[in-house]
Amino acid sequence: FAQSTFGKKGTGLGEFDGIGNLVIKGDHLYIDTAEFGLRGGGLFPHIINERIQVLKINPDGNLSVQSTLGKKGKGLGSFDGITDLLIKGDYLYVAEATSDLNMKEGNHRIQVFKINPNGNISPRFTLGKEGKRLGEFYSPRLLAIKENWLYISDTGNNRIQILEIKY
């Protein structure tokens, strides 16, 4: 049944060193990719770079490279421990927990990106930070949406948070 494959190991556009989640909007495929390295004397795998690649879905079903966004970090448009992707309308939601096996680091937040008419994404804002209060997270893992309600599995706090989306 296989028609074709796309990509190879690497760190450039259309190259992967770990693929996480895939979501589709129109004729674009959004993929979170990570690049792995070793730390602790080469004993522990650790994510050293993260990004979202945007691929164009061609009429024949094959993929072509369009753009990439992100790097490992804490700022808007940077990532540390992507766990899930979700699309609602013209917005891409990205859950981030931690890339550290001990869960001592990480962004513990949701980032929101605008999907532009050409399919590329632009960072807009973040939701939450590390903590235990409403709107704070400790290892948010999965996202679901119904109408204007965003459901977030706040795994480290053993709960599901429900946030109303207003934009």
Side-chain angles (χ1 to χ4, degrees):
F1 292 98
Q3 177 179 328
S4 66
T5 63
F6 177 85
K8 63 181 181 177
K9 185 172 177 60
T11 59
L13 280 171
E15 297 177 346
F16 312 105
D17 190 14
I19 297 175
N21 302 284
L22 310 169
V23 292
I24 292 175
K25 177 173 172 53
D27 58 357
H28 291 92
L29 177 67
Y30 300 86
I31 306 171
D32 77 82
T33 64
E35 295 154 25
F36 294 89
L38 297 175
R39 66 177 183 174
L43 300 176
F44 305 105
H46 186 69
I47 297 173
I48 58 173
N49 190 25
E50 290 187 83
R51 61 193 172 154
I52 295 175
Q53 290 198 51
V54 180
L55 303 177
K56 174 91 169 141
I57 302 171
N58 300 312
D60 63 2
N62 289 312
L63 301 171
S64 56
V65 172
Q66 181 160 326
S67 64
T68 188
L69 175 84
K71 62 182 180 178
K72 184 172 174 69
K74 298 206 173 285
L76 186 62
S78 296
F79 305 104
D80 190 5
I82 296 174
T83 58
D84 201 11
L85 302 176
L86 176 106
I87 292 176
K88 167 135 172 78
D90 291 332
Y91 293 90
L92 172 68
Y93 295 81
V94 179
E96 293 177 77
T98 179
S99 61
D100 181 9
L101 296 176
N102 297 318
M103 294 182 60
K104 293 183 179 177
E105 298 176 10
N107 290 335
H108 304 281
R109 66 183 180 185
I110 311 299
Q111 284 198 69
V112 181
F113 296 83
K114 174 79 169 145
I115 300 174
N116 301 314
N118 66 0
N120 290 334
I121 55 175
S122 304
R124 287 296 185 240
F125 57 91
T126 64
L127 299 169
K129 63 180 182 174
E130 184 176 346
K132 296 183 179 196
R133 294 184 179 152
L134 181 63
E136 297 177 343
F137 309 103
Y138 191 68
S139 194
R141 293 282 171 192
L142 300 171
L143 303 171
I145 202 160
K146 179 174 168 115
E147 297 167 2
N148 288 337
W149 299 102
L150 179 62
Y151 298 84
I152 303 156
S153 67
D154 188 6
T155 307
N157 287 322
N158 300 301
R159 64 186 180 183
I160 296 173
Q161 288 205 49
I162 305 157
L163 303 177
E164 185 174 12
I165 300 168
K166 295 180 179 179
Y167 47 79

